[in-house]
mmCIF file of all heavy atoms in Angstrom:
data_model
loop_
_atom_site.group_PDB
_atom_site.id
_atom_site.type_symbol
_atom_site.label_atom_id
_atom_site.label_comp_id
_atom_site.label_asym_id
_atom_site.label_seq_id
_atom_site.Cartn_x
_atom_site.Cartn_y
_atom_site.Cartn_z
ATOM 1 N N PRO A 1 36.082 0.545 -25.173
ATOM 2 C CA PRO A 1 34.704 1.087 -25.616
ATOM 3 C C PRO A 1 33.555 0.048 -25.410
ATOM 4 O O PRO A 1 32.436 0.413 -25.031
ATOM 5 C CB PRO A 1 34.877 1.501 -26.994
ATOM 6 C CG PRO A 1 36.332 1.867 -27.218
ATOM 7 C CD PRO A 1 37.038 0.936 -26.332
ATOM 8 N N ASP A 2 33.897 -1.186 -25.699
ATOM 9 C CA ASP A 2 32.807 -2.236 -25.497
ATOM 10 C C ASP A 2 33.059 -3.154 -24.309
ATOM 11 O O ASP A 2 32.580 -4.213 -24.136
ATOM 12 C CB ASP A 2 32.760 -3.140 -26.805
ATOM 13 C CG ASP A 2 34.092 -3.876 -27.058
ATOM 14 O OD1 ASP A 2 35.141 -3.535 -26.339
ATOM 15 O OD2 ASP A 2 34.088 -4.860 -27.781
ATOM 16 N N GLY A 3 33.781 -2.555 -23.298
ATOM 17 C CA GLY A 3 33.980 -3.210 -22.034
ATOM 18 C C GLY A 3 32.873 -3.134 -21.052
ATOM 19 O O GLY A 3 31.759 -2.788 -21.272
ATOM 20 N N LEU A 4 33.223 -3.517 -19.760
ATOM 21 C CA LEU A 4 32.153 -3.397 -18.707
ATOM 22 C C LEU A 4 32.617 -2.341 -17.729
ATOM 23 O O LEU A 4 33.652 -2.328 -17.156
ATOM 24 C CB LEU A 4 32.248 -4.872 -18.064
ATOM 25 C CG LEU A 4 31.252 -4.979 -16.829
ATOM 26 C CD1 LEU A 4 29.737 -4.961 -17.419
ATOM 27 C CD2 LEU A 4 31.472 -6.187 -16.035
ATOM 28 N N GLY A 5 31.649 -1.489 -17.431
ATOM 29 C CA GLY A 5 31.768 -0.426 -16.433
ATOM 30 C C GLY A 5 30.868 -0.723 -15.234
ATOM 31 O O GLY A 5 29.883 -1.498 -15.409
ATOM 32 N N VAL A 6 30.978 0.040 -14.208
ATOM 33 C CA VAL A 6 30.158 -0.092 -13.010
ATOM 34 C C VAL A 6 29.622 1.258 -12.776
ATOM 35 O O VAL A 6 30.423 2.249 -12.634
ATOM 36 C CB VAL A 6 30.925 -0.706 -11.851
ATOM 37 C CG1 VAL A 6 29.959 -0.807 -10.686
ATOM 38 C CG2 VAL A 6 31.542 -1.975 -12.149
ATOM 39 N N ILE A 7 28.279 1.342 -12.473
ATOM 40 C CA ILE A 7 27.710 2.649 -12.059
ATOM 41 C C ILE A 7 27.208 2.298 -10.584
ATOM 42 O O ILE A 7 26.398 1.487 -10.322
ATOM 43 C CB ILE A 7 26.441 2.957 -12.871
ATOM 44 C CG1 ILE A 7 26.940 3.194 -14.377
ATOM 45 C CG2 ILE A 7 25.713 4.129 -12.318
ATOM 46 C CD1 ILE A 7 25.664 3.310 -15.277
ATOM 47 N N VAL A 8 27.751 3.131 -9.607
ATOM 48 C CA VAL A 8 27.425 2.931 -8.257
ATOM 49 C C VAL A 8 26.432 4.065 -7.807
ATOM 50 O O VAL A 8 26.721 5.242 -8.029
ATOM 51 C CB VAL A 8 28.668 3.028 -7.327
ATOM 52 C CG1 VAL A 8 28.352 3.173 -5.875
ATOM 53 C CG2 VAL A 8 29.546 1.716 -7.559
ATOM 54 N N LEU A 9 25.313 3.688 -7.313
ATOM 55 C CA LEU A 9 24.296 4.565 -6.793
ATOM 56 C C LEU A 9 24.141 4.618 -5.322
ATOM 57 O O LEU A 9 24.374 3.770 -4.662
ATOM 58 C CB LEU A 9 22.917 4.262 -7.520
ATOM 59 C CG LEU A 9 22.893 4.134 -9.009
ATOM 60 C CD1 LEU A 9 21.580 3.500 -9.380
ATOM 61 C CD2 LEU A 9 22.991 5.603 -9.557
ATOM 62 N N ASP A 10 23.579 5.803 -4.866
ATOM 63 C CA ASP A 10 23.168 5.864 -3.444
ATOM 64 C C ASP A 10 21.597 5.796 -3.513
ATOM 65 O O ASP A 10 20.962 6.631 -4.042
ATOM 66 C CB ASP A 10 23.567 7.188 -2.846
ATOM 67 C CG ASP A 10 22.775 7.482 -1.489
ATOM 68 O OD1 ASP A 10 22.633 6.540 -0.800
ATOM 69 O OD2 ASP A 10 22.518 8.561 -1.325
ATOM 70 N N SER A 11 21.076 4.701 -2.944
ATOM 71 C CA SER A 11 19.577 4.468 -2.958
ATOM 72 C C SER A 11 18.898 4.772 -1.620
ATOM 73 O O SER A 11 17.810 4.252 -1.376
ATOM 74 C CB SER A 11 19.372 3.083 -3.439
ATOM 75 O OG SER A 11 19.936 2.081 -2.602
ATOM 76 N N ASN A 12 19.588 5.382 -0.712
ATOM 77 C CA ASN A 12 19.069 5.555 0.559
ATOM 78 C C ASN A 12 18.153 6.838 0.676
ATOM 79 O O ASN A 12 18.657 7.973 0.295
ATOM 80 C CB ASN A 12 20.166 5.812 1.622
ATOM 81 C CG ASN A 12 20.906 4.511 1.773
ATOM 82 O OD1 ASN A 12 20.447 3.435 2.339
ATOM 83 N ND2 ASN A 12 22.134 4.374 1.092
ATOM 84 N N ALA A 13 16.977 6.740 1.198
ATOM 85 C CA ALA A 13 16.047 7.926 1.349
ATOM 86 C C ALA A 13 16.562 8.854 2.492
ATOM 87 O O ALA A 13 17.380 8.266 3.400
ATOM 88 C CB ALA A 13 14.728 7.399 1.590
ATOM 89 N N GLU A 14 16.302 10.058 2.555
ATOM 90 C CA GLU A 14 16.672 10.854 3.575
ATOM 91 C C GLU A 14 15.657 10.690 4.835
ATOM 92 O O GLU A 14 14.557 11.220 4.735
ATOM 93 C CB GLU A 14 16.557 12.484 3.100
ATOM 94 C CG GLU A 14 17.156 13.391 3.977
ATOM 95 C CD GLU A 14 18.619 13.355 4.079
ATOM 96 O OE1 GLU A 14 19.302 12.851 3.128
ATOM 97 O OE2 GLU A 14 19.253 14.085 4.894
ATOM 98 N N THR A 15 16.145 9.936 5.767
ATOM 99 C CA THR A 15 15.325 9.687 6.891
ATOM 100 C C THR A 15 16.088 10.156 8.211
ATOM 101 O O THR A 15 17.409 10.233 8.178
ATOM 102 C CB THR A 15 14.932 8.223 7.115
ATOM 103 O OG1 THR A 15 16.121 7.487 7.444
ATOM 104 C CG2 THR A 15 14.332 7.827 5.783
ATOM 105 N N HIS A 16 15.348 10.398 9.297
ATOM 106 C CA HIS A 16 16.081 10.819 10.479
ATOM 107 C C HIS A 16 15.630 9.972 11.646
ATOM 108 O O HIS A 16 15.798 10.216 12.910
ATOM 109 C CB HIS A 16 15.473 12.268 10.798
ATOM 110 C CG HIS A 16 15.910 13.278 9.759
ATOM 111 N ND1 HIS A 16 17.212 13.807 9.622
ATOM 112 C CD2 HIS A 16 15.139 13.696 8.781
ATOM 113 C CE1 HIS A 16 17.071 14.644 8.587
ATOM 114 N NE2 HIS A 16 15.929 14.606 8.034
ATOM 115 N N PHE A 17 15.088 8.697 11.388
ATOM 116 C CA PHE A 17 14.416 7.930 12.420
ATOM 117 C C PHE A 17 14.916 6.528 12.174
ATOM 118 O O PHE A 17 14.702 5.910 11.085
ATOM 119 C CB PHE A 17 12.875 8.103 12.294
ATOM 120 C CG PHE A 17 12.157 7.585 13.459
ATOM 121 C CD1 PHE A 17 12.669 7.340 14.663
ATOM 122 C CD2 PHE A 17 10.677 7.350 13.258
ATOM 123 C CE1 PHE A 17 11.860 6.942 15.699
ATOM 124 C CE2 PHE A 17 10.017 6.989 14.407
ATOM 125 C CZ PHE A 17 10.567 6.789 15.592
ATOM 126 N N SER A 18 15.512 5.805 13.157
ATOM 127 C CA SER A 18 15.853 4.438 12.985
ATOM 128 C C SER A 18 14.737 3.497 12.522
ATOM 129 O O SER A 18 15.081 2.600 11.793
ATOM 130 C CB SER A 18 16.445 3.937 14.350
ATOM 131 O OG SER A 18 17.827 4.418 14.538
ATOM 132 N N PHE A 19 13.506 3.878 13.030
ATOM 133 C CA PHE A 19 12.473 2.784 12.675
ATOM 134 C C PHE A 19 12.151 2.829 11.140
ATOM 135 O O PHE A 19 11.656 1.977 10.660
ATOM 136 C CB PHE A 19 11.344 3.166 13.569
ATOM 137 C CG PHE A 19 10.330 2.011 13.610
ATOM 138 C CD1 PHE A 19 10.673 0.808 14.176
ATOM 139 C CD2 PHE A 19 9.022 2.117 13.123
ATOM 140 C CE1 PHE A 19 9.713 -0.206 14.275
ATOM 141 C CE2 PHE A 19 8.099 1.102 13.173
ATOM 142 C CZ PHE A 19 8.483 -0.192 13.845
ATOM 143 N N THR A 20 12.609 3.980 10.485
ATOM 144 C CA THR A 20 12.208 4.130 9.065
ATOM 145 C C THR A 20 13.468 4.084 8.189
ATOM 146 O O THR A 20 13.503 4.630 7.115
ATOM 147 C CB THR A 20 11.469 5.445 8.792
ATOM 148 O OG1 THR A 20 12.303 6.543 9.116
ATOM 149 C CG2 THR A 20 10.101 5.380 9.492
ATOM 150 N N ASN A 21 14.523 3.525 8.794
ATOM 151 C CA ASN A 21 15.825 3.584 8.082
ATOM 152 C C ASN A 21 15.893 2.788 6.756
ATOM 153 O O ASN A 21 16.724 3.092 5.927
ATOM 154 C CB ASN A 21 16.990 3.079 8.991
ATOM 155 C CG ASN A 21 16.917 1.552 9.113
ATOM 156 O OD1 ASN A 21 17.478 0.905 8.346
ATOM 157 N ND2 ASN A 21 16.441 1.150 10.194
ATOM 158 N N ALA A 22 15.016 1.822 6.581
ATOM 159 C CA ALA A 22 15.142 0.960 5.369
ATOM 160 C C ALA A 22 14.636 1.547 4.121
ATOM 161 O O ALA A 22 14.796 0.956 3.036
ATOM 162 C CB ALA A 22 14.475 -0.351 5.728
ATOM 163 N N LEU A 23 13.943 2.666 4.122
ATOM 164 C CA LEU A 23 13.295 3.241 2.847
ATOM 165 C C LEU A 23 14.422 3.620 1.904
ATOM 166 O O LEU A 23 15.445 4.127 2.400
ATOM 167 C CB LEU A 23 12.452 4.392 3.135
ATOM 168 C CG LEU A 23 11.152 4.150 3.894
ATOM 169 C CD1 LEU A 23 10.480 5.454 4.251
ATOM 170 C CD2 LEU A 23 10.162 3.230 2.982
ATOM 171 N N GLY A 24 14.147 3.464 0.620
ATOM 172 C CA GLY A 24 15.051 3.757 -0.370
ATOM 173 C C GLY A 24 14.528 4.682 -1.490
ATOM 174 O O GLY A 24 13.271 4.825 -1.664
ATOM 175 N N MET A 25 15.424 5.395 -2.181
ATOM 176 C CA MET A 25 15.041 6.345 -3.179
ATOM 177 C C MET A 25 16.265 6.661 -4.104
ATOM 178 O O MET A 25 17.425 6.808 -3.606
ATOM 179 C CB MET A 25 14.572 7.712 -2.601
ATOM 180 C CG MET A 25 14.124 8.616 -3.643
ATOM 181 S SD MET A 25 13.906 10.318 -2.918
ATOM 182 C CE MET A 25 15.483 10.985 -3.501
ATOM 183 N N VAL A 26 16.149 6.667 -5.395
ATOM 184 C CA VAL A 26 17.157 7.129 -6.312
ATOM 185 C C VAL A 26 16.771 8.443 -6.838
ATOM 186 O O VAL A 26 15.646 8.614 -7.470
ATOM 187 C CB VAL A 26 17.387 6.102 -7.526
ATOM 188 C CG1 VAL A 26 18.416 6.583 -8.517
ATOM 189 C CG2 VAL A 26 17.808 4.765 -6.875
#
């Protein structure tokens, strides 16, 4: 109960263009 857990998120925005690939969103 008082241990350490990990929450893994996907922070990638929905893009369709290589030039804008770096944008992020949660």
Side-chain angles (χ1 to χ4, degrees):
D2 63 345
L4 180 70
V6 182
I7 299 174
V8 166
L9 300 171
D10 168 33
S11 62
N12 295 284
E14 188 76 13
T15 69
H16 305 276
F17 197 14
S18 279
F19 200 64
T20 58
N21 75 82
L23 289 173
M25 185 196 94
V26 176

